[in-house]
Amino acid sequence: MTRVHRRAALLATLTSVLTGCSRAPSVDILGSFFPIWMVCGSVGVILAFLIRKLLVRLRLESHVGPVALFYPSLVVLVSCLLWLMFFR
């Protein structure tokens, strides 16, 4: 492979990789644009906290398994579901 072909291959690879950065998904909140992943993560934490309160009130928290794994997984699940439902 010649030097010109290597440069062309490198340029084609870089342009195909960088095309994903052309549009950053963001939402306008009170005049300021926030990344959508940050909004989904924040709402996911709030909803996981509310689900925890519900599980404690119904006395079901002891049945969920290790809470150190359950609640972070719940935050990720809720955040991803919000992303899929509203922004995809």
Side-chain angles (χ1 to χ4, degrees), residues 5 13 23 27 31-32 41 45 52 54 56 58 63 68 85-86:
H5 287 106
T13 303
R23 184 185 144 264
V27 64
S32 180
V45 168
R52 182 193 179 278
L54 179 70
V56 168
L58 295 175
H63 301 294
M85 287 189 313
F86 295 112

Side-chain angles (χ1 to χ4, degrees), residues 41-52:
S42 300
V43 173
V45 168
I46 292 168
L47 287 177
F49 177 72
L50 293 175
I51 291 171
R52 182 193 179 278

Side-chain angles (χ1 to χ4, degrees), residues 11-70:
L11 182 63
T13 303
L14 286 177
T15 56
S16 67
V17 172
L18 294 177
T19 57
C21 300
S22 63
R23 184 185 144 264
S26 58
V27 64
D28 183 22
I29 298 176
L30 298 174
S32 180
F33 287 98
F34 288 98
I36 293 175
W37 64 266
M38 190 182 291
V39 173
C40 288
S42 300
V43 173
V45 168
I46 292 168
L47 287 177
F49 177 72
L50 293 175
I51 291 171
R52 182 193 179 278
K53 299 274 281 183
L54 179 70
L55 289 174
V56 168
R57 177 172 284 187
L58 295 175
R59 296 186 189 122
L60 294 174
E61 189 181 34
S62 61
H63 301 294
V64 297
V67 293
L69 294 175
F70 178 75

Side-chain angles (χ1 to χ4, degrees), residues 41 44-45 48-49 52 64 66-80:
V45 168
F49 177 72
R52 182 193 179 278
V64 297
V67 293
L69 294 175
F70 178 75
Y71 290 116
S73 300
L74 186 63
V75 169
V76 170
L77 175 71
V78 171
S79 299
C80 290

